[in-house]
Amino acid sequence: MNDKTTKNQVDEDVYSLRQRYLFVSSFIVLLIFAFAWLAQNYVSSHSEQHRQNIELRHQATQYIRQLRNEVLQIEKGLEAFMWGPTDRRHNEVHHRIDAALQYFEQLRQHQWIIQNNMTSELGDFALDLKALHITLHRVMTMRIRKSTEVISLDQIKVNIKQADQRFTSSANALRQTSQPLTQQLTTTLLLKEQLQTLLRALLYKETPTITDAVSPSQLEQIESVYEQINKMLSTISTHPEINSNPQHQPLIDRMQNAHRESQFSFDDLKVIRVNGTFQEQIPYLKHTVEPHFEHLWEYLNKLDSSIDDFSKVEAKELGKVANLVAKVVWLLCFFGLAVISVAYLYFQSTVLQPIATLARALKGYAQGEKIESLPEVHNVETRHLLDAYREMHAQVQDRQQALEHLAMHDSLTTLPNRYHLMGRLQALCETSQQSQAVFAVVILGLDRFKEINDTLGQYTGDAILKKYGQRLQFLLRGTDSIARYSGDEFALLLPGASRDEALYVARKIHRVMETPIDIEGISLSVSSSIGIALYPENGQDKEELTRRANIAIAIAKRYKISIALYEKRYDTSSVERLSLAGKLRQAIHDHELHLCFQPQFTVHQRELSGVEVLCRWNEPERGLISPEEFIPVAEHTGQIHVVTEWVVDTALQQAKIWHDKGLDCGILAINISAFNLHAPNFYHMLEKQLQKWDYPAARLMLEITETAMMADPEHAIKILGKLKELGLKLSIDDYGTGFSSLSYVKQLPVNELKIDKSFVMEMTTDENDAVIVRSTIELAHNLGLKVVAEGVDTQEKQDLLDVLDCDYMQGFHVGKPMLAAEIEQHLPTRKTKGSKIHHLKDFR
Ligand code: C2E
Ligand code: CA
Ligand code: CA
């Protein structure tokens, strides 16, 4: 609850990226819109103004053009009037002047002219136009007055033209009717044509300019042609042919009249042109009228050019607007760029960087590193991301713990599992190595558990496992640990446990496990087997220790000895031993085994008391193989029974041979493996052999190792008791290497203890070993047992044993193991039995 409120508070403090984005983007959008609106307004107002200006200027230009047109028309009209001063032309000129004034007035009052302060300039124009009006009126009056006195030029032209047409048609008509006159008439017509050409040239030349004077030669030429035609006409009229046809006379008359008329008209023309009556107004035109026109044109040109100037200014203004718009666009571009850059930097620092930091943290977390830095919170989104990350982190940790527990524990019994155990074992190895401490690895397996599972069902099986798990847990000390090792196996780690302590715990567990358990009303008793491996003597690391504890439990199960402590000889895993196992089977068959005999003597009298039978294997490839190497192989492969039987058979046979030879080897001591003891037919085998060789049981000693007997003392006691019944003697071999306390030994039906050679060999140098030897001898004697010391390899030891009151001795100093043929030479005869027949020196 509290967490939630603070989170909400923080959420309020910190804006979300979306909010910031909305805020900033709306601000920018508004800004851009404002910019755009301002620019649009500015451009449209300017362009509207310019458009209006252009329109007005256009109108003004139109007026000016019309004005120009009117002035041109006035000029033309004046000229036409000067050529032919008709009323229509006179009116036309006046009308044009009025129109021009009208246009001018419109122009003067035009908005554009007013706006641009051009009205004052236009004032001059109006005056000019009015002055022109007055001068025009004067020149035209002048012209009208003259034309009343002389015929007009146009009229002359028309008269000449009409007269010449009449002439030509009459001449042609005459030429068609009068053959003889054809020649003269054609000449006359050609002359007429020449005359017309000359007249046309004169008249047309006069047309463009009124002021040009006619050259006198031109007139003379025309006059001469007129005269030539006159002559031709008088010739023709006097021709007899004329009179021959009454029709000819009128024709020739018409021709003469027409020609005369034409000549008169020409005379008029001459009067106008040569006398200069027509040209009176020309100087006036030239000096008064024309300057007015020039002035007007100049004025109009000036107007045009000033309008041009205005449009240039206008264009410049428009260019400015366009420039401004372009600048605004650029500004917006830069602004946009700046916004994008700032946005990117902001995005980088508030989103990308936190995400990258978080991603790094996640990656580091995935790789199991410690998280050192988490991104700072800048916005709601990163806060949510961070919260999600923390949540995930916490949940993953919870799950990891759960998974670890699952991975480390057995779900059925809730005990730690094998994996967990191996971890503990590893740690224990390391700490024990440093502190030079000892510990034991104990593996406990339920016997015939599969059978229970199959017959009573898995549910019962599970219940049994749970119950036993609880029982085991209950038995352990605080420092011990337990685990479910495999389906029907539990493993225990006993820190600080020595061999004896481990065996003590193992026995206690074994006892407790045998107490029946109650499952759903059914009382069940499940036997168990226990294997023990010790640190550091059986292994220095977890693999070695568990492997060896497994070997030990396998041994315990195989030979039903309940508890087995690992021994090196059990270990058959080496390749060499496996190959030996294969060869051993054949070795017995191929007679590769043979026996050696080592003598035993009484310590005080130094007399031969017996011989120990020691087995040898002469392997063709490897040579002599020690029994310490092949006996464990035989034990593990089950061939020990065959080997033992062969040893017993061969030794008894040898004893029989010696007996038959009259020799006495004393007590025959044969080594027996712990595995032989558990074999059901061992007893019968011995019985059979004794019978076979007719050997007295009392002269046969069986040497059984301490560890073999003590692994399962109760069973051992039972078997040994039976053997004892046969009359055999029993010896505990390698005494001192095991764990047996004398209280156990006391219960065993044995005759002697054989102190292990390791103590004897060190007893002169190691005070502890000396103490062990002495106390063993004393205690054994107290229990009524004889004591044999093996490993007597010096005189010093022999002497010490004498002092310690040891009974028998065996060792390289007093007699090495020998072949039958060799020892045979040192054996006493049966006749001298009991006497001191052989001194030790004979055996050395
Ligand atoms: P063990 O029963 O303790 O036999 C005595 C061993 O000590 C013999 O070794 C012998 O050669 C050796 N030994 C005797 N005196 C001395 C001495 O002064 N100094 C030293 N360093 N060693 C001495 P071996 O013959 O190699 O036998 C080794 C072991 O093999 C025996 O130990 C015995 O446990 C086993 N073994 C031998 N033969 C048989 C057999 O036929 N059956 C069975 N089950 N085990 C046998
Ligand atoms: Ca022995
Ligand atoms: Ca021994």
Side-chain angles (χ1 to χ4, degrees):
M1 176 71 190
N2 237 350
D3 208 34
K4 221 171 181 181
T5 45
T6 45
K7 209 177 126 186
N8 283 345
Q9 259 173 3
V10 175
D11 274 6
E12 277 164 24
D13 294 346
V14 183
Y15 288 106
S16 82
L17 268 185
R18 193 184 302 146
Q19 281 171 319
R20 289 178 206 198
Y21 172 79
L22 280 175
F23 178 74
V24 172
S25 56
S26 16
F27 176 72
I28 289 169
V29 165
L30 274 178
L31 211 69
I32 289 173
F33 270 114
F35 253 110
W37 183 77
L38 281 174
Q40 197 205 3
N41 260 16
Y42 175 79
V43 169
S44 66
S45 75
H46 269 74
S47 58
E48 179 55 29
Q49 197 182 328
H50 286 292
R51 194 190 59 73
Q52 280 175 5
N53 262 1
I54 289 166
E55 210 167 277
L56 288 173
R57 197 172 63 236
H58 181 70
Q59 280 175 4
T61 333
Q62 285 297 106
Y63 285 132
I64 291 166
R65 192 178 298 141
Q66 277 161 343
L67 208 56
R68 200 181 265 279
N69 189 40
E70 291 310 320
V71 173
L72 194 72
Q73 291 307 321
I74 293 166
E75 227 174 11
K76 274 189 183 166
L78 178 68
E79 194 170 322
F81 179 83
M82 293 313 278
W83 281 112
T86 59
D87 281 350
R88 205 172 56 81
R89 283 173 181 169
H90 179 265
N91 292 342
E92 174 74 10
V93 169
H94 278 286
H95 174 70
R96 288 291 176 185
I97 285 172
D98 286 344
L101 274 169
Q102 215 173 338
Y103 281 129
F104 172 76
E105 201 48 42
Q106 276 174 346
L107 182 66
R108 206 167 61 87
Q109 285 167 12
H110 192 265
Q111 201 181 344
W112 188 80
I113 297 291
I114 295 165
Q115 269 173 7
N116 292 298
N117 296 327
M118 287 173 76
T119 355
S120 56
E121 288 174 40
L122 286 176
D124 296 344
F125 187 82
L127 290 177
D128 278 347
L129 208 57
K130 274 171 190 156
L132 179 73
H133 197 180
I134 296 161
T135 44
L136 281 185
H137 181 70
R138 192 171 296 152
V139 82
M140 282 196 292
T141 319
M142 215 182 273
R143 180 72 182 97
I144 291 163
R145 192 165 25 84
K146 283 290 165 197
S147 64
T148 51
E149 291 163 10
V150 286
I151 191 162
S152 83
L153 199 63
D154 278 2
Q155 196 54 54
I156 293 166
K157 272 189 210 167
V158 170
N159 290 349
I160 291 174
K161 204 176 169 186
Q162 286 172 352
D164 284 354
Q165 274 173 354
R166 279 204 307 278
F167 179 87
T168 313
S169 65
S170 303
N172 281 334
L174 196 61
R175 197 166 54 170
Q176 278 169 4
T177 51
S178 172
Q179 199 63 34
L181 289 172
T182 311
Q183 183 65 42
Q184 281 106 329
L185 282 169
T186 306
T187 311
T188 317
L189 279 169
L190 280 172
L191 281 168
K192 196 72 182 178
E193 262 176 48
Q194 192 188 350
L195 180 73
Q196 278 173 339
T197 310
L198 284 167
L199 279 170
R200 212 177 293 135
L202 180 75
L203 286 170
Y204 278 99
K205 198 169 179 275
E206 283 163 354
T207 315
T209 48
I210 314 160
T211 50
D212 282 353
V214 177
S215 70
S217 64
Q218 241 178 328
L219 295 171
E220 277 166 22
Q221 215 180 343
I222 294 168
E223 268 176 358
S224 91
V225 178
Y226 267 116
E227 284 316 310
Q228 279 174 37
I229 294 169
N230 278 334
K231 273 180 196 160
M232 282 305 290
L233 281 174
S234 57
T235 324
I236 293 166
S237 62
T238 54
H239 198 280
E241 183 60 25
I242 298 295
N243 297 326
S244 66
N245 194 333
Q247 282 178 348
H248 289 165
Q249 197 53 49
L251 286 172
I252 194 78
D253 289 346
R254 269 182 73 185
M255 280 171 72
Q256 280 173 330
N257 288 339
H259 187 63
R260 211 168 19 258
E261 260 179 53
S262 171
Q263 205 167 4
F264 289 150
S265 291
F266 175 67
D267 286 342
D268 284 345
L269 184 67
K270 253 189 342 190
V271 168
I272 295 166
R273 304 292 279 141
V274 179
N275 296 355
T277 26
F278 176 71
Q279 287 164 319
E280 245 182 292
Q281 68 270 32
I282 285 176
Y284 187 78
L285 273 174
K286 208 175 180 112
H287 301 297
T288 317
V289 179
E290 271 183 20
H292 276 295
F293 275 113
E294 273 167 22
H295 207 218
L296 280 177
W297 285 125
E298 210 175 288
Y299 202 85
L300 285 169
N301 285 344
K302 220 171 99 189
L303 264 181
D304 273 349
S305 81
S306 64
I307 280 175
D308 266 2
D309 287 349
F310 271 106
S311 57
K312 270 179 202 161
V313 169
E314 198 102 34
K316 222 171 166 181
E317 285 288 312
L318 275 175
K320 270 187 195 167
V321 171
N323 215 2
L324 193 81
V325 170
K327 272 180 191 162
V328 167
V329 169
W330 274 113
L331 200 77
L332 280 177
C333 282
F334 283 121
F335 178 69
L337 210 68
V339 166
I340 287 170
S341 308
V342 169
Y344 174 75
L345 288 176
Y346 178 76
F347 191 60
Q348 161 80 14
S349 75
T350 57
V351 177
L352 297 183
Q353 228 159 23
I355 286 176
T357 317
L358 209 61
R360 263 203 306 280
L362 269 172
K363 209 170 167 186
Y365 179 59
Q367 287 168 355
E369 287 167 15
K370 215 176 153 235
I371 295 146
E372 267 155 21
S373 68
L374 282 175
E376 276 176 41
V377 173
H378 291 292
N379 47 56
V380 172
E381 285 78 359
T382 33
R383 151 156 295 288
H384 288 170
L385 199 63
L386 213 66
D387 287 347
Y389 168 77
R390 289 206 177 103
E391 176 88 28
M392 182 214 73
H393 188 261
Q395 288 204 7
V396 164
Q397 255 181 346
D398 286 355
R399 263 175 239 167
Q400 203 168 327
Q401 273 169 5
L403 276 174
E404 264 169 28
H405 188 270
L406 260 183
M408 291 287 185
H409 290 79
D410 170 48
S411 54
L412 177 70
T413 58
T414 68
L415 293 175
N417 60 13
R418 179 202 284 247
Y419 182 74
H420 195 177
L421 177 94
M422 292 311 261
R424 286 249 178 115
L425 186 51
Q426 170 81 32
L428 204 55
C429 284
E430 282 161 16
T431 52
S432 301
Q433 196 180 14
Q434 280 165 9
S435 59
Q436 297 200 319
V438 294
F439 67 86
V441 179
V442 177
I443 295 180
L444 178 140
L446 302 180
D447 295 338
R448 302 191 333 273
F449 184 71
K450 195 180 171 304
E451 257 173 63
I452 295 169
N453 242 356
D454 291 348
T455 51
L456 301 176
Q458 201 165 345
Y459 176 77
T460 315
D462 287 353
I464 289 171
L465 283 171
K466 273 196 223 171
K467 275 262 163 74
Y468 279 124
Q470 285 161 5
R471 272 191 187 180
L472 282 172
Q473 245 175 327
F474 187 69
L475 279 174
L476 295 181
R477 300 172 297 171
T479 49
D480 300 339
S481 39
I482 180 175
R484 184 166 174 207
Y485 189 70
S486 68
D488 56 357
E489 284 178 328
F490 297 94
L492 311 161
L493 294 184
L494 311 174
S498 65
R499 172 192 295 259
D500 288 353
E501 282 164 338
L503 277 162
Y504 172 76
V505 173
R507 268 193 233 109
K508 193 167 84 178
I509 290 171
H510 192 252
R511 254 200 322 277
V512 172
M513 296 296 269
E514 280 192 337
T515 334
I517 50 166
D518 189 65
I519 289 173
E520 291 187 344
I522 307 166
S523 177
L524 284 170
S525 177
V526 185
S527 65
S528 59
S529 302
I530 297 172
I532 305 167
L534 301 166
Y535 176 92
E537 57 253 55
N538 296 152
Q540 309 270 327
D541 57 60
K542 61 176 195 285
E543 282 83 17
E544 194 71 1
L545 284 165
T546 47
R547 194 175 69 80
R548 292 190 162 170
N550 267 319
I551 289 172
I553 194 177
I555 294 292
K557 280 197 171 178
R558 183 177 219 147
Y559 301 106
K560 300 185 175 58
I561 52 175
S562 306
I563 299 167
L565 198 70
Y566 173 78
E567 277 181 51
K568 203 179 159 210
R569 58 203 189 93
Y570 294 157
D571 208 337
T572 54
S573 67
S574 79
V575 179
E576 215 167 279
R577 286 183 183 200
L578 283 174
S579 79
L580 271 188
K583 286 174 177 174
L584 187 62
R585 200 166 289 124
Q586 198 59 32
I588 303 163
H589 187 259
D590 292 353
H591 308 293
E592 282 171 19
L593 300 181
H594 65 267
L595 297 177
C596 273
F597 300 89
Q598 190 177 24
Q600 286 179 5
F601 298 92
T602 57
V603 177
H604 301 309
Q605 286 86 33
R606 289 144 199 221
E607 283 175 345
L608 182 80
S609 57
V611 287
E612 184 182 359
V613 180
L614 297 164
C615 191
R616 297 285 177 267
W617 180 8
N618 196 5
E619 213 272 323
E621 283 169 32
R622 285 183 50 180
L624 223 55
I625 300 174
S626 160
E628 282 182 320
E629 201 174 336
F630 72 83
I631 292 294
V633 175
E635 286 176 334
H636 280 134
T637 52
Q639 296 176 80
I640 189 65
H641 307 296
V642 187
V643 173
T644 305
E645 190 170 356
W646 179 85
V647 172
V648 172
D649 189 26
T650 315
L652 292 185
Q653 186 187 15
Q654 188 60 54
K656 170 91 175 134
I657 291 167
W658 287 331
H659 183 267
D660 290 351
K661 285 183 178 174
L663 297 172
D664 185 7
C665 64
I667 303 280
L668 202 62
I670 294 177
N671 290 290
I672 298 298
S673 163
F675 300 91
N676 294 135
L677 279 189
H678 293 278
N681 61 347
F682 179 63
Y683 176 85
H684 299 292
M685 185 273 285
L686 281 176
E687 206 176 23
K688 209 176 79 193
Q689 287 294 337
L690 289 170
Q691 272 176 13
K692 181 181 173 187
W693 299 109
D694 189 22
Y695 193 83
R699 290 179 66 80
L700 183 62
M701 172 83 77
L702 296 184
E703 289 188 10
I704 303 155
T705 59
E706 186 195 353
T707 43
M709 275 193 269
M710 300 323 283
D712 191 354
E714 280 148 43
H715 184 71
I717 291 166
K718 234 192 282 174
I719 298 282
L720 293 177
K722 268 181 90 182
L723 292 174
K724 199 79 197 272
E725 279 170 19
L726 263 181
L728 295 166
K729 286 192 163 68
L730 297 169
S731 170
I732 299 179
D733 203 353
D734 298 347
Y735 185 81
T737 55
F739 53 88
S740 50
S741 64
L742 275 171
S743 58
Y744 272 97
V745 175
K746 207 160 61 180
Q747 299 171 30
L748 295 172
V750 292
N751 303 85
E752 67 174 32
L753 292 183
K754 214 171 169 183
I755 305 175
D756 191 67
K757 57 182 173 284
S758 61
F759 302 104
V760 179
M761 284 160 88
E762 300 293 319
M763 69 180 181
T764 45
T765 48
D766 190 324
E767 184 60 31
N768 285 340
D769 287 347
V771 170
I772 290 172
V773 172
R774 192 172 55 230
S775 59
T776 307
I777 292 168
E778 277 174 19
L779 288 165
H781 284 167
N782 286 345
L783 291 172
L785 301 174
K786 295 285 180 198
V787 181
V788 186
E790 59 175 14
V792 183
D793 49 8
T794 59
Q795 184 60 43
E796 198 189 353
K797 284 166 196 162
Q798 188 187 329
D799 294 345
L800 184 59
L801 287 172
D802 208 350
V803 173
L804 293 175
D805 198 21
C806 185
D807 301 292
Y808 304 102
M809 61 183 172
Q810 181 185 347
F812 290 173
H813 179 66
V814 289
K816 289 187 176 168
M818 287 168 275
L819 291 171
E822 199 185 339
I823 199 168
E824 194 179 296
Q825 293 163 19
H826 307 286
L827 294 178
T829 53
R830 268 189 290 138
K831 288 170 203 136
T832 56
K833 189 191 160 204
S835 61
K836 209 198 251 177
I837 41 155
H838 270 272
H839 195 264
L840 283 175
K841 66 179 181 344
D842 300 326
F843 285 95
R844 273 179 230 152

